[in-house]
Amino acid sequence: MNPFAKILLCTTSLLAAIVVLPSAIFASVDYTTVYARAFALLAAEPYVKQGFHVREDYWAGDLASGERKAVRQQLFKGNEYWFWLGTEVDRAKESVHIYNSDGELAEQPDSWAKGHLAAAHIIPKTTGSYFIIVKVEESPAARTHWALVYGFR
């Protein structure tokens, strides 16, 4: 292949990558999830000041009013956990509760729900699988995006 053809081929390939790649990268960004996660992290902020470490992993989705979602998480005896739930829908009401593997409510009494934010606190008595139940109690939106983050100490 002559040098001109090589340069033309490389330039064309580079140009195609510049045009196609950004749309492929940014097409998958769901801003409602980003905002829901930002609100969940906002709810976590006072607890971080108390020494809780927020994990980078999180769960997200969307639910209609009255719908719930179960998330399974391995929790360890000796640690203390908070789960924070948020949505970007201002007038939505959400709740989050924690159950042990026997289906019994396992959260502490200081768990709370305030409008579009909610939190559940647990100090596991045993190591094992726990179920965090996320629920959109009511919302003006047909589907309400939510995000759940958690921290431990």
Side-chain angles (χ1 to χ4, degrees):
M1 183 180 288
N2 70 32
F4 178 74
K6 283 184 181 179
I7 292 172
L8 183 61
L9 180 63
C10 289
T11 306
T12 305
S13 298
L14 183 59
L15 182 59
I18 290 170
V19 170
V20 174
L21 193 56
S23 61
I25 291 171
F26 296 113
S28 64
V29 174
D30 179 3
Y31 291 104
T32 53
T33 300
V34 171
Y35 295 140
R37 184 169 181 244
F39 278 110
L41 290 170
L42 182 67
E45 190 174 307
Y47 301 92
V48 170
K49 293 175 183 174
Q50 297 174 18
F52 282 87
H53 301 280
V54 178
R55 297 295 305 254
E56 285 190 34
D57 53 340
Y58 67 98
W59 301 271
D62 63 85
L63 296 168
S65 291
E67 279 190 321
R68 12 181 121 173
K69 169 79 175 165
V71 174
R72 182 193 291 197
Q73 181 64 25
Q74 180 82 10
L75 302 180
F76 299 92
K77 180 180 178 179
N79 286 341
E80 180 179 5
Y81 300 88
W82 272 97
F83 289 84
W84 302 284
L85 177 65
T87 181
E88 83 287 0
V89 179
D90 280 336
R91 294 185 316 271
K93 292 182 181 173
E94 299 182 311
S95 65
V96 57
H97 296 287
I98 305 169
Y99 294 85
N100 64 22
S101 58
D102 294 327
E104 299 165 337
L105 192 63
E107 67 194 58
Q108 298 297 113
D110 58 350
S111 300
W112 54 268
K114 297 174 187 162
H116 65 116
L117 301 174
H121 180 207
I122 184 169
I123 304 169
K125 293 180 177 154
T126 61
T127 296
S129 289
Y130 289 79
F131 297 92
I132 299 83
I133 308 298
V134 172
K135 183 177 181 186
V136 173
E137 300 289 342
E138 59 184 65
S139 177
R143 304 287 298 177
T144 300
H145 290 86
W146 57 270
L148 179 70
V149 299
Y150 77 104
F152 69 95
R153 69 174 177 184

